[in-house]
Amino acid sequence: MAPMARAAVMIRPGKIEIQEFPLPRLEDGAILLRVEMCGICGTDKHTWHGETKQYAGTPTESDTPYPIIPGHEIIGTAVEVNDRRGPRLDYDGEPVRVGDRLALCPDVVCGACYACRHTFAYPWCEHLKGYGNAFTSTEPPHLLGGWAEYLYVLPNAFVYHVPEELPTHIAVMVELMAVSYNLDKLKEFFTLSGEGLATGDTVVVQGAGPMGICHIIKARMMGAGDIVATDLSDYRLSLAKAFGADHVLNVTRTSERERVDLVRSLTPGRGADVVVECVGKAEVVVEGLEMLRKGGIYVEAGNFVESGEVTLSPHRHLCAKNVRLIGMTNHPFTGYTPSMKMMLRTAHLFPYDRFVSHVFPLAQTEAALLRSMEPDTMKVVIAPWATG
Amino acid sequence: MAPMARAAVMIRPGKIEIQEFPLPRLEDGAILLRVEMCGICGTDKHTWHGETKQYAGTPTESDTPYPIIPGHEIIGTAVEVNDRRGPRLDYDGEPVRVGDRLALCPDVVCGACYACRHTFAYPWCEHLKGYGNAFTSTEPPHLLGGWAEYLYVLPNAFVYHVPEELPTHIAVMVELMAVSYNLDKLKEFFTLSGEGLATGDTVVVQGAGPMGICHIIKARMMGAGDIVATDLSDYRLSLAKAFGADHVLNVTRTSERERVDLVRSLTPGRGADVVVECVGKAEVVVEGLEMLRKGGIYVEAGNFVESGEVTLSPHRHLCAKNVRLIGMTNHPFTGYTPSMKMMLRTAHLFPYDRFVSHVFPLAQTEAALLRSMEPDTMKVVIAPWATG
Amino acid sequence: MAPMARAAVMIRPGKIEIQEFPLPRLEDGAILLRVEMCGICGTDKHTWHGETKQYAGTPTESDTPYPIIPGHEIIGTAVEVNDRRGPRLDYDGEPVRVGDRLALCPDVVCGACYACRHTFAYPWCEHLKGYGNAFTSTEPPHLLGGWAEYLYVLPNAFVYHVPEELPTHIAVMVELMAVSYNLDKLKEFFTLSGEGLATGDTVVVQGAGPMGICHIIKARMMGAGDIVATDLSDYRLSLAKAFGADHVLNVTRTSERERVDLVRSLTPGRGADVVVECVGKAEVVVEGLEMLRKGGIYVEAGNFVESGEVTLSPHRHLCAKNVRLIGMTNHPFTGYTPSMKMMLRTAHLFPYDRFVSHVFPLAQTEAALLRSMEPDTMKVVIAPWATG
Amino acid sequence: MAPMARAAVMIRPGKIEIQEFPLPRLEDGAILLRVEMCGICGTDKHTWHGETKQYAGTPTESDTPYPIIPGHEIIGTAVEVNDRRGPRLDYDGEPVRVGDRLALCPDVVCGACYACRHTFAYPWCEHLKGYGNAFTSTEPPHLLGGWAEYLYVLPNAFVYHVPEELPTHIAVMVELMAVSYNLDKLKEFFTLSGEGLATGDTVVVQGAGPMGICHIIKARMMGAGDIVATDLSDYRLSLAKAFGADHVLNVTRTSERERVDLVRSLTPGRGADVVVECVGKAEVVVEGLEMLRKGGIYVEAGNFVESGEVTLSPHRHLCAKNVRLIGMTNHPFTGYTPSMKMMLRTAHLFPYDRFVSHVFPLAQTEAALLRSMEPDTMKVVIAPWATG
């Protein structure tokens, strides 16, 4: 009998089962990855709740094709590499060999469509397929999500070598650190005349979950001034402080007015230079815009999944504010390797060890997912080979 | 008796009177301008209707201090210059002399506040005063609006020499051509990887009034590809075509779906690269965002005055769309001189003569204002010294 | 016997022969192109003279592997397409079919090396191979240069559909029009505060050969103000004027001081905003820098081949000048399709018909090359199927 | 008799005398500053050696008008403020009061010339006057250089409040930290596609004197990866390491080839992303360019004074390298306040205490200057009121 791999399958909203799949035969350029650790992301929680509309209004608008094996924040070890037709290269041009520890970029692009040919580093591909989101587990090669013992790495999927000194439970942050390239992206919009993120700028991060924490780290790393974080969990806000926030505001104990006033008081009267939305709820957008200075930049990154509507004034919130509002999905392919190097370089500055708050074995995936929805968690991960 | 100047005073919403004011004595650096021509702007129409909230949510939030002398698109001739303490320079450093024909930048800044010291070329001044908007006519020197025979040019107001070859009825466009620097501003956000306005890009201009026409001209001047204009007036759309639009859509005879589809069909399926909002109504924003390609740039420039609210989906319209939404009020001080030079240079390419559709003498200012609200007008101007 | 194709082979510097090669069998994704027209480029002239060092000091430093079939400005018609394994797409994602007229990007990249993965649209590939430059004609498939009846289009070479309305003798400009994306690239460096190419800016183009002419066209298309061209040929300078230069300076009849003074006089005393070097001689660099305003931008694009040294003062020419000096080789893959669309759109504005000054049949390739070195030529092309 | 102030006057190259000047009467907006500390800058050393040509080839080309009171890195305390005609504001819009500790921007601009009106934050003023450089001490108000007990702050000179927690001997770094905005300026040229300074980039700083050290600090603060410093002094290189350099290279014990190879080895084969020239000698430019990766950015900042010529290959060093070479003089007015805040914020990360290596009283100014030329010094300062 063929060797089998166990995987956690979300067969429909609210229902996860452990299933077995045959280990696939590798096509040219494919890799078989032993999954060491895989994060649970906010998107996975949406999928659990049946909130499945992604990329609405774009050529890649999609719904989740249940059953799927979720999981896209993946660190694993190559146990087989098909390099018959030439070396299988990582994103940086280095050959992948059996035994290498790798991070995976979950977004797989065709490289040949109009979007691939006219956009750099972001997966705006017309044929985009996302690990843990876009593949039905019923079709071979089945193992295209990270909540599983093994993962099939497609020939055109991008992988990155994890530096030896970087522990897996820190390396598992890398996908979110790449998401925090939202702030690097802002440099494309920078001028000394008040555009973009400047050295010493005041940055507000709405939402201190894993994605918010990574933006706090990145803002600090890039030379931000005051960093303010908002959340409803004191636990998360305490971590926000540990990771570099100067001011934290619990939204359950402050009013919108108080929060806006605090931000304005830090910048005498002006408002934040940058606000990053990492909550993923439509209603926080207006508060974020109110916090922003004239000409400030608002990064709408949290509403990756359809989450409702918001009402605002084009005069007050957009035109008069001279807002620069930048919607950002996904992360750049180029963000992985530098992120891992910077995590090593700044190991003494940030308590990376505290980022993963809970580790669950594969058999307890559903419990892990439910646990991750509690406010007293940061990143919850599946370690498929861990023993519960 | 002191010599007097007549002016059209808006004493309250819906009421204009011709009044007389004494010609002021000039402080150091001031200029007395004989007004040759002054445009009627959309903002003036709002003021007429009592829609007076400007710069809402910013440090310069203001209401109109009736009575005022409206008018801020001003071309005049210097009849007196106080240069006792040194030459009175125009914005480009050239001395102003009696007899010089000048354009005025209506936005007067202090040059010393935090905003003036940290922003380039845009009047984000904390003490901003706008000609024709911010000055009560009851206070000396009274003549601080363009619908008048004479204008008092403050020492720190910026003026620009009008090239001799440029007729006054074309030069009067210059303020709006400077507003169309919205498109030059987009170059600050440009990268070859699909950010900002690229050569050959598809540009939609929502609204084909004077401001929309100037954006059409500028887009064409800067190397746009297809230009699409929308409006409810066939007259205005025919001018849009004459000034360079390739496609025009009358919103009274097409549905939103048809308009969005037309734009998408021009860009096989993708949507416009740039959409500029020149309508000034809250409700057009969602249509504009739907027309936009993923990663396209939306310029919210029309809602200069508070005009209501709009409801949108942060996921669909901002995040998934990867929108770049740029709010823009005002225009750069640096936009006047190059605009006038470019109008001369492109005199054979654009029918500038058709921009001013109606000229009224000062005595008929109220009639002029009412006329300007009709869909079969383009720019209506006051020529204070014209005989009716 | 297999069908054969004739080609002009440069077997060593100063020696061209017409040879015959078998028509190749197409691998998956390959195209056989009937060459309609192919330009003679300055680089080809260098190769003729044995000046063969390209990309010196970079990972792709190379020498010409004689014998080669030169020619890289190629328009042809697909006579065979191998699309067995799926449609062969052009750069924009459209399928290529037999009978389609195509432009070729001569720079072929691997798409997988570090440079390919970290640079957008430019062929900085570590394994770069250039049609007409990098392939020895002795090795199959032989036909990898444009001075031939047929061209073998590699599976990963980029092609672009030529719009039906665009005549071949104008379409053949497209590679150089893509080179003129040097000016679009400058927009990445643009801010309103005097960085990059602004609307109305004064632009100097050093050298009015084909590359200079394309930069003049592009500068005008993008909204330049005064354009100045320098050259030693009155013929070329007269074409420069026809294509949009306002001022032309024959370097054989003016001194460097006179040229610098002319440029300064146009910009009262300041110097040009942008200078583009399209001569390809080391010694013109200092003159160009002297012409530049403080903070102006100098595009070093002409010295594509090693051409000697220049001596300058780091204080005067770089630091005090606050120069922005941008070296540019190659052109962006994304520049072809918009260039062809813009050539159509501006057909009434530029005398594109005059760009190709001489057409030679394949048999007279050597004569064509010698002719192209005369100052009274603009673009000289080979039309392989023309009868002499 | 009027109260007098002592000052160190450089009466000609190589000759410094202590002279006395009457304390000036303050015009409107002027401030009298008690100088607490003033740095000795490389420019002062050039002036001592009679190397006095600054801004060569620009409208502000100048020679030193001996005798002068040198000194432009100035921290002082306001002892008198003329605010009769309204509050005297600092650059950020805050009123200046007697007793306030202030940093001075030495570059005084007119605010009204073409350059002032078209450039943001940099003193490209046509009438630029630099404290400690441009004013002859023989003319009133005499005290326009920092090597003196008192300084006359002109009404239009920019001052900045020093945060109370920041000691004077650290605050005195602020002018050079503002110079290190060279790296912030690079963000204007940034795109994710390999332009400008990215997170994790390899940065080389040529020259580890005070200016080099500040660039090392700033690079680290902004998220650089490997930082390499070169110098001829082991003392300075040890400080470079203490301030954040990962690799240091003593140019007296390594060859150019070895240094270039080291840089390339750090970036497998590619070269540095950014090289900043802080040596101020013409001959280091070629080495810096050789260290740079294709498309990397070279900041020519050190040759603030005419220092000779360099010979390079336009093909190899500019065109093929696709270099972005940015000349930078001066520093932005906007760089002072954020720099001081960031110095406070990063007090635990950088040994700021070690920046000032030697403090001299005014009477020993000449000794101080000579000492500052020794390789075992970092910043040497004059504390005018110190007792020797």
Side-chain angles (χ1 to χ4, degrees):
Chain A
M1 204 185 93
M4 302 294 278
R6 291 186 313 140
V9 179
M10 196 181 288
I11 55 173
R12 60 170 186 272
K15 179 68 182 164
I16 288 176
E17 279 181 6
I18 305 298
Q19 300 184 355
E20 289 207 328
F21 298 93
L23 284 187
R25 177 190 280 261
L26 302 189
E27 64 197 299
D28 291 333
I31 304 168
L32 187 66
L33 207 67
R34 182 188 192 271
V35 178
E36 306 296 347
M37 200 170 271
C38 181
I40 295 175
C41 169
T43 303
D44 301 322
K45 302 172 200 174
H46 286 293
T47 310
W48 171 262
H49 288 120
E51 298 154 7
T52 64
K53 182 70 77 188
Q54 295 177 9
Y55 303 113
T58 78
T60 45
E61 181 167 326
S62 67
D63 279 289
T64 308
Y66 302 97
I68 62 164
I69 304 173
H72 56 272
E73 301 173 353
I74 301 166
I75 304 294
T77 305
V79 292
E80 192 183 343
V81 181
N82 184 335
D83 49 12
R84 237 175 352 210
R85 299 184 66 173
R88 206 311 183 166
L89 302 179
D90 74 0
Y91 190 82
D92 299 306
E94 296 300 309
V96 171
R97 299 203 171 79
V98 168
D100 290 356
R101 196 162 46 127
L102 302 170
L104 176 82
C105 173
D107 295 320
V108 184
V109 298
C110 78
C113 69
Y114 184 92
C116 280
R117 287 276 161 79
H118 291 80
T119 314
F120 178 63
Y122 279 86
W124 292 7
C125 175
E126 296 163 15
H127 313 110
L128 178 65
K129 288 286 184 182
Y131 272 83
N133 268 300
F135 299 99
T136 302
S137 62
T138 54
E139 289 172 14
H142 309 294
L143 296 168
L144 298 166
W147 298 355
E149 291 173 333
Y150 289 99
L151 188 88
Y152 185 84
V153 180
L154 292 159
N156 56 335
F158 298 139
V159 293
Y160 307 82
H161 281 90
V162 178
E164 203 180 319
E165 311 87 316
L166 195 68
T168 295
H169 72 283
I170 294 179
V172 77
M173 296 176 67
V174 68
E175 200 250 5
L176 279 173
M177 285 305 295
V179 169
S180 80
Y181 262 69
N182 288 333
L183 296 179
D184 299 77
K185 182 75 183 174
L186 295 194
K187 291 165 74 172
E188 293 192 342
F189 308 118
F190 176 85
T191 80
L192 283 176
S193 171
E195 301 285 348
L197 172 60
T199 302
D201 266 6
T202 299
V203 177
V204 175
V205 178
Q206 296 183 288
M211 182 172 158
I213 295 291
C214 287
H215 281 82
I216 291 169
I217 294 169
K218 179 54 82 71
R220 181 59 69 231
M221 209 179 258
M222 290 172 68
D226 280 324
I227 299 177
V228 181
T230 66
D231 203 284
L232 46 65
S233 155
D234 282 336
Y235 165 78
R236 293 185 161 199
L237 290 172
S238 73
L239 273 178
K241 287 207 103 165
F243 277 101
D246 299 285
H247 304 273
V248 297
L249 291 162
N250 191 311
V251 297
T252 66
R253 289 197 303 276
T254 52
S255 67
E256 175 174 335
R257 175 88 339 246
E258 287 168 334
R259 295 189 293 275
V260 171
D261 285 350
L262 180 276
V263 171
R264 293 211 178 142
S265 72
L266 293 173
T267 53
R270 294 189 297 275
D273 301 289
V274 176
V275 177
V276 188
E277 192 279 288
C278 297
V279 173
K281 292 191 187 305
E283 65 262 26
V284 304
V285 170
V286 167
E287 176 174 331
L289 291 171
E290 289 284 344
M291 285 173 169
L292 204 61
R293 73 161 163 87
K294 189 168 180 173
I297 195 157
Y298 189 77
V299 183
E300 170 41 56
N303 283 288
F304 184 74
V305 169
E306 182 62 76
S307 66
E309 296 189 319
V310 69
T311 297
L312 49 74
S313 156
H315 169 68
R316 178 183 181 89
H317 295 116
L318 306 180
C319 188
K321 175 73 79 175
N322 282 259
V323 76
R324 287 76 173 98
L325 191 160
I326 309 292
M328 293 299 295
T329 53
N330 309 99
H331 54 265
F333 310 136
T334 51
Y336 281 74
T337 300
S339 288
M340 289 190 284
K341 285 190 181 167
M342 290 303 287
M343 284 191 271
L344 276 181
R345 179 176 290 282
T346 59
H348 60 301
L349 298 177
F350 300 103
Y352 290 116
D353 267 331
R354 299 175 64 186
F355 187 75
V356 169
S357 64
H358 298 78
V359 182
F360 285 82
L362 187 66
Q364 297 175 30
T365 296
E366 186 170 319
L369 180 57
L370 293 171
R371 190 72 185 86
S372 77
M373 296 175 197
E374 300 299 322
D376 62 341
T377 58
M378 187 46 63
K379 177 56 70 182
V380 179
V381 298
I382 307 297
W385 300 90
T387 48
Chain B
M1 204 186 89
M4 302 294 279
R6 291 186 313 140
V9 179
M10 196 180 289
I11 55 173
R12 60 168 187 272
K15 179 67 182 166
I16 288 176
E17 279 182 5
I18 305 297
Q19 299 185 355
E20 289 207 329
F21 298 92
L23 284 188
R25 178 189 280 261
L26 302 189
E27 64 198 299
D28 290 333
I31 302 168
L32 187 67
L33 209 66
R34 180 189 193 271
V35 178
E36 306 295 348
M37 199 170 272
C38 180
I40 295 175
C41 169
T43 303
D44 301 322
K45 302 172 199 172
H46 286 293
T47 310
W48 172 262
H49 287 120
E51 298 155 7
T52 63
K53 181 69 77 188
Q54 295 177 9
Y55 303 114
T58 79
T60 44
E61 182 167 325
S62 67
D63 278 290
T64 306
Y66 303 96
I68 62 165
I69 305 173
H72 56 272
E73 302 172 353
I74 301 166
I75 304 293
T77 304
V79 293
E80 192 184 344
V81 181
N82 184 335
D83 50 11
R84 236 175 352 208
R85 299 184 66 173
R88 206 310 184 168
L89 303 180
D90 74 0
Y91 189 82
D92 299 307
E94 296 300 310
V96 172
R97 298 201 171 80
V98 168
D100 290 355
R101 196 162 45 126
L102 301 171
L104 176 83
C105 173
D107 295 320
V108 184
V109 298
C110 77
C113 69
Y114 184 92
C116 280
R117 287 276 161 79
H118 291 80
T119 313
F120 178 64
Y122 279 87
W124 292 7
C125 175
E126 295 163 15
H127 313 110
L128 178 64
K129 288 285 184 182
Y131 272 82
N133 267 300
F135 298 99
T136 301
S137 61
T138 54
E139 290 173 13
H142 310 292
L143 296 168
L144 298 166
W147 299 354
E149 290 173 335
Y150 290 98
L151 188 87
Y152 185 85
V153 180
L154 292 159
N156 56 335
F158 298 140
V159 294
Y160 307 83
H161 280 90
V162 178
E164 203 180 320
E165 312 87 314
L166 195 68
T168 296
H169 72 284
I170 294 180
V172 77
M173 296 177 68
V174 68
E175 200 249 7
L176 279 174
M177 285 306 294
V179 169
S180 80
Y181 263 68
N182 287 333
L183 297 179
D184 299 77
K185 182 75 183 175
L186 295 194
K187 292 166 73 171
E188 293 192 344
F189 307 116
F190 176 84
T191 80
L192 283 176
S193 173
E195 300 287 347
L197 173 60
T199 302
D201 265 6
T202 299
V203 176
V204 175
V205 177
Q206 296 182 287
M211 182 172 158
I213 294 293
C214 287
H215 280 82
I216 290 169
I217 295 169
K218 179 55 81 71
R220 180 61 67 230
M221 210 180 256
M222 290 172 68
D226 281 323
I227 298 176
V228 181
T230 64
D231 203 283
L232 45 67
S233 155
D234 282 337
Y235 165 77
R236 292 184 162 199
L237 290 172
S238 72
L239 273 178
K241 286 208 103 164
F243 276 100
D246 299 285
H247 305 272
V248 297
L249 291 163
N250 191 310
V251 297
T252 66
R253 288 198 304 276
T254 52
S255 68
E256 176 175 335
R257 175 85 342 242
E258 287 168 335
R259 295 189 294 274
V260 171
D261 284 351
L262 181 275
V263 171
R264 293 214 177 139
S265 72
L266 293 174
T267 53
R270 293 190 296 276
D273 300 289
V274 176
V275 177
V276 188
E277 192 278 288
C278 296
V279 173
K281 293 190 185 305
E283 65 263 26
V284 305
V285 170
V286 167
E287 175 175 331
L289 290 172
E290 289 284 345
M291 284 173 169
L292 204 62
R293 74 161 163 85
K294 189 169 180 172
I297 196 157
Y298 189 77
V299 182
E300 170 42 56
N303 283 288
F304 184 73
V305 169
E306 182 61 78
S307 66
E309 296 189 320
V310 69
T311 298
L312 50 74
S313 157
H315 170 66
R316 178 182 182 91
H317 296 116
L318 305 179
C319 188
K321 175 73 79 175
N322 282 260
V323 75
R324 286 76 174 97
L325 191 159
I326 309 293
M328 293 298 295
T329 52
N330 309 99
H331 54 265
F333 310 136
T334 51
Y336 282 74
T337 299
S339 289
M340 289 190 285
K341 285 189 181 167
M342 290 303 288
M343 284 192 271
L344 276 180
R345 179 176 289 283
T346 59
H348 60 302
L349 297 178
F350 301 102
Y352 290 116
D353 267 331
R354 300 175 62 188
F355 187 75
V356 169
S357 64
H358 298 77
V359 182
F360 284 82
L362 187 67
Q364 298 176 28
T365 297
E366 185 170 318
L369 180 57
L370 293 171
R371 191 70 186 85
S372 77
M373 297 175 197
E374 300 299 322
D376 62 340
T377 59
M378 188 48 62
K379 177 57 68 181
V380 178
V381 298
I382 308 297
W385 300 89
T387 47
Chain C
M1 206 185 89
M4 304 293 279
R6 291 186 312 138
V9 179
M10 195 180 288
I11 56 174
R12 60 170 186 270
K15 179 69 182 165
I16 288 177
E17 279 182 6
I18 305 297
Q19 299 185 354
E20 288 207 329
F21 298 92
L23 283 188
R25 177 189 280 260
L26 302 189
E27 65 198 299
D28 291 332
I31 303 167
L32 187 67
L33 209 66
R34 181 188 193 273
V35 178
E36 306 295 348
M37 199 169 273
C38 181
I40 295 175
C41 169
T43 303
D44 301 321
K45 302 172 200 175
H46 287 292
T47 309
W48 170 262
H49 288 119
E51 298 155 5
T52 63
K53 182 69 77 188
Q54 295 178 8
Y55 303 113
T58 79
T60 44
E61 181 168 324
S62 68
D63 279 289
T64 307
Y66 303 95
I68 62 164
I69 304 173
H72 57 271
E73 301 173 353
I74 301 166
I75 303 294
T77 305
V79 293
E80 192 183 343
V81 181
N82 184 334
D83 51 10
R84 238 176 348 209
R85 299 184 66 173
R88 203 319 181 160
L89 303 180
D90 74 0
Y91 189 82
D92 298 308
E94 296 302 309
V96 172
R97 298 203 171 80
V98 168
D100 290 355
R101 196 162 44 127
L102 302 171
L104 175 83
C105 173
D107 295 319
V108 184
V109 298
C110 77
C113 69
Y114 184 91
C116 280
R117 287 275 161 79
H118 291 80
T119 313
F120 178 64
Y122 279 86
W124 293 7
C125 175
E126 295 163 15
H127 313 110
L128 178 64
K129 289 285 185 183
Y131 272 81
N133 268 300
F135 298 99
T136 302
S137 61
T138 54
E139 288 173 14
H142 309 293
L143 297 168
L144 298 166
W147 299 356
E149 290 173 334
Y150 289 99
L151 188 88
Y152 185 84
V153 180
L154 292 159
N156 57 334
F158 298 140
V159 293
Y160 308 83
H161 280 90
V162 178
E164 202 179 322
E165 311 87 315
L166 195 68
T168 296
H169 71 284
I170 294 179
V172 77
M173 296 176 67
V174 68
E175 200 249 8
L176 279 174
M177 286 305 296
V179 169
S180 80
Y181 262 68
N182 287 333
L183 297 179
D184 299 77
K185 182 75 183 174
L186 296 194
K187 292 166 73 172
E188 292 193 343
F189 308 115
F190 177 85
T191 79
L192 283 176
S193 172
E195 301 286 348
L197 172 60
T199 302
D201 265 6
T202 300
V203 176
V204 175
V205 178
Q206 296 182 288
M211 183 172 157
I213 295 292
C214 287
H215 280 82
I216 291 169
I217 294 169
K218 179 55 81 71
R220 180 61 67 232
M221 209 180 256
M222 290 170 68
D226 280 324
I227 299 177
V228 180
T230 65
D231 204 284
L232 45 67
S233 155
D234 283 337
Y235 166 77
R236 292 184 163 199
L237 290 172
S238 73
L239 274 179
K241 286 207 102 162
F243 276 101
D246 298 286
H247 304 273
V248 296
L249 291 162
N250 191 310
V251 297
T252 66
R253 289 197 304 275
T254 52
S255 67
E256 177 174 333
R257 174 87 340 247
E258 286 168 335
R259 295 190 293 274
V260 171
D261 284 351
L262 180 276
V263 171
R264 294 214 178 139
S265 73
L266 292 174
T267 54
R270 293 190 297 276
D273 301 289
V274 176
V275 177
V276 188
E277 192 279 289
C278 296
V279 172
K281 293 189 186 307
E283 65 262 26
V284 305
V285 170
V286 167
E287 176 174 331
L289 291 171
E290 289 284 346
M291 284 173 168
L292 204 62
R293 74 162 163 86
K294 190 168 180 172
I297 196 158
Y298 189 77
V299 183
E300 170 41 57
N303 284 288
F304 184 73
V305 169
E306 183 61 77
S307 67
E309 296 189 319
V310 69
T311 298
L312 49 75
S313 156
H315 170 67
R316 178 182 181 90
H317 296 116
L318 306 179
C319 188
K321 176 74 78 175
N322 282 261
V323 75
R324 287 75 173 96
L325 191 160
I326 309 293
M328 293 297 296
T329 53
N330 310 98
H331 54 264
F333 310 137
T334 50
Y336 281 75
T337 299
S339 289
M340 289 189 284
K341 285 191 180 164
M342 290 303 286
M343 283 192 272
L344 276 180
R345 180 176 288 283
T346 59
H348 59 302
L349 298 177
F350 300 103
Y352 290 116
D353 266 331
R354 299 175 64 187
F355 187 75
V356 169
S357 63
H358 297 77
V359 182
F360 285 82
L362 187 66
Q364 297 175 28
T365 297
E366 185 169 318
L369 181 57
L370 293 171
R371 190 72 186 85
S372 76
M373 296 175 197
E374 301 298 323
D376 63 339
T377 59
M378 188 45 65
K379 177 55 71 182
V380 179
V381 298
I382 307 297
W385 299 90
T387 47
Chain D
M1 203 187 89
M4 303 293 278
R6 291 187 313 140
V9 179
M10 195 180 289
I11 55 173
R12 61 169 185 271
K15 178 69 181 165
I16 288 176
E17 280 181 5
I18 304 298
Q19 299 184 355
E20 289 207 327
F21 298 92
L23 283 188
R25 177 189 280 261
L26 301 189
E27 64 198 298
D28 291 333
I31 303 168
L32 187 67
L33 208 67
R34 180 188 193 272
V35 178
E36 306 296 348
M37 199 169 272
C38 181
I40 295 176
C41 169
T43 303
D44 301 321
K45 303 172 200 175
H46 286 293
T47 309
W48 172 262
H49 287 120
E51 297 155 7
T52 63
K53 181 69 76 187
Q54 295 178 9
Y55 304 113
T58 78
T60 45
E61 182 167 324
S62 67
D63 280 289
T64 307
Y66 304 95
I68 62 164
I69 304 173
H72 57 271
E73 302 172 352
I74 301 166
I75 304 293
T77 304
V79 292
E80 192 183 344
V81 181
N82 184 335
D83 49 10
R84 236 174 353 207
R85 298 184 66 171
R88 206 310 184 168
L89 303 179
D90 74 1
Y91 190 83
D92 299 306
E94 296 300 310
V96 172
R97 298 202 171 80
V98 168
D100 290 354
R101 195 162 46 126
L102 302 170
L104 175 84
C105 173
D107 295 319
V108 184
V109 298
C110 76
C113 69
Y114 184 91
C116 280
R117 287 277 162 77
H118 291 80
T119 313
F120 177 64
Y122 279 86
W124 292 6
C125 175
E126 296 163 15
H127 313 108
L128 178 64
K129 289 286 184 182
Y131 272 83
N133 268 300
F135 299 100
T136 301
S137 61
T138 54
E139 289 173 12
H142 309 295
L143 296 168
L144 298 166
W147 299 355
E149 290 172 334
Y150 288 98
L151 188 89
Y152 185 84
V153 180
L154 292 159
N156 56 334
F158 299 140
V159 293
Y160 308 83
H161 280 90
V162 178
E164 203 179 320
E165 312 87 315
L166 195 66
T168 295
H169 71 284
I170 294 180
V172 77
M173 296 176 67
V174 68
E175 200 247 8
L176 279 174
M177 285 305 295
V179 169
S180 80
Y181 263 68
N182 287 332
L183 297 179
D184 298 77
K185 182 75 183 174
L186 296 194
K187 292 166 73 171
E188 293 192 343
F189 308 117
F190 176 84
T191 80
L192 283 176
S193 172
E195 301 287 348
L197 172 60
T199 302
D201 265 7
T202 300
V203 176
V204 175
V205 178
Q206 296 182 287
M211 182 171 157
I213 294 292
C214 287
H215 281 82
I216 291 169
I217 294 169
K218 179 53 82 72
R220 180 61 67 229
M221 210 180 256
M222 290 172 69
D226 280 323
I227 299 177
V228 181
T230 65
D231 203 283
L232 44 67
S233 155
D234 283 336
Y235 165 77
R236 292 185 161 197
L237 290 172
S238 72
L239 273 178
K241 286 208 103 163
F243 276 101
D246 298 285
H247 304 272
V248 297
L249 291 163
N250 191 312
V251 298
T252 66
R253 289 198 303 275
T254 51
S255 68
E256 176 174 335
R257 174 86 342 244
E258 286 168 336
R259 295 190 292 275
V260 171
D261 284 350
L262 182 276
V263 171
R264 293 215 178 137
S265 73
L266 292 173
T267 53
R270 294 190 295 275
D273 300 290
V274 176
V275 177
V276 188
E277 192 280 289
C278 296
V279 173
K281 292 190 187 307
E283 65 262 28
V284 304
V285 170
V286 167
E287 175 174 331
L289 291 171
E290 290 284 345
M291 284 173 169
L292 204 63
R293 73 161 164 85
K294 189 168 179 172
I297 195 158
Y298 189 77
V299 183
E300 170 40 56
N303 284 288
F304 184 72
V305 169
E306 182 61 76
S307 67
E309 296 189 319
V310 69
T311 297
L312 50 75
S313 156
H315 170 66
R316 178 182 182 91
H317 295 116
L318 306 179
C319 187
K321 175 74 78 175
N322 282 260
V323 76
R324 285 77 173 95
L325 191 160
I326 310 292
M328 294 297 296
T329 52
N330 309 98
H331 54 264
F333 310 136
T334 50
Y336 281 74
T337 299
S339 289
M340 289 190 284
K341 286 191 180 164
M342 290 304 286
M343 283 191 272
L344 276 180
R345 180 175 289 282
T346 59
H348 60 302
L349 298 177
F350 301 102
Y352 291 116
D353 266 331
R354 300 175 64 188
F355 187 75
V356 169
S357 64
H358 299 76
V359 181
F360 285 82
L362 187 66
Q364 298 176 27
T365 297
E366 186 171 318
L369 180 58
L370 293 171
R371 189 72 185 86
S372 76
M373 297 176 196
E374 301 297 323
D376 62 339
T377 59
M378 188 47 64
K379 177 56 71 182
V380 178
V381 298
I382 307 298
W385 300 90
T387 48

